Every structure is written in C-alpha cells, then in structure tokens.
Amino acid sequence: TNGGMTLLGSAGAALGAWLISGAGGVASGSLHLVFWGTAIGTGGMVLDSILGATLQGRFRCPSCGVDSEHRTHRCGTRTEHTGGAFWLTIDGVNADTTAAGALAGLVAWRCASST
C-alpha cells in the first residue's frame, strides 16, 4: 500500500539512517553528522510515506483488476485513475523526498557550520 508504515519498518528505517550516519560520522570525526543524518533520513522516510498515502496517484488495471502505481500496468493495459494526484507517480514522490532531504541536509550543514 502506498504510504504504508509499520512500527517494525519505521524502526528499521531509523536504524538504517543511524548506521549510515554513524559511518559518515566516524569517517569525518563529526558527531553532529550522526544526529543530523539520522534525523533527516528518518524524516525523509516519514515524508515519503505521507506523500505516498495522500498525494501519490493510485491506479487500477481494468484488465487484471490489480492496483498499480503506474499509468500503464505491467500487462500493458492502460490503468484507470482511482485516487490521489494523477500527475504524481512513485517516481515523483521519490524525487520530491530526495529534494527535501537534500534541502534539509543543506540547512543542517549551514546550522552546524555556524556554531
């Protein structure tokens, strides 16, 4: 389900953000990187789920009756729009959350650099 979240999945995402940020923090010698990286990574996961659940277009294949994230189902049939914004696909959600993460990283870098 687009935007679906579970406690286990969210904990795994937060742990993954912490591990990646921890590796970067160890390599750079910056503990700030661990905090900001974990916060931004976890926040990006939440934003991705919110956009997926609320705005991402939802489609259904009239031929197979299967829900899809794409305007054309893998069977080749054009899908029908059933909810969300028609123009916002999974690729758009991924691009938006990546851009938001990059912007958050820039803001964090500016904040950490000024102290």
Side-chain angles (χ1 to χ4, degrees):
T1 302
N2 294 337
M5 289 179 67
T6 64
L7 183 58
L8 182 60
S10 297
L15 178 62
W18 178 77
L19 287 171
I20 297 297
S21 300
V26 168
S28 68
S30 173
L31 293 180
H32 285 93
L33 184 61
V34 178
F35 169 76
W36 285 109
T38 302
I40 292 168
T42 303
M45 177 269 306
V46 171
L47 178 62
D48 184 83
S49 290
I50 290 170
L51 289 177
T54 59
L55 296 179
Q56 181 180 330
R58 291 179 295 283
F59 305 92
R60 185 172 198 70
C61 177
S63 199
C64 305
V66 175
D67 291 332
S68 177
E69 295 178 332
H70 303 283
R71 293 182 194 122
T72 302
H73 190 243
R74 52 182 170 215
C75 73
T77 304
R78 184 106 174 128
T79 56
E80 298 171 341
H81 180 239
T82 60
F86 178 81
W87 52 268
L88 186 59
T89 64
I90 184 67
D91 296 328
V93 168
N94 291 338
D96 290 344
T97 55
T98 299
L103 180 62
L106 177 63
V107 169
W109 176 73
R110 297 283 299 187
C111 290
S113 296
S114 66
T115 58

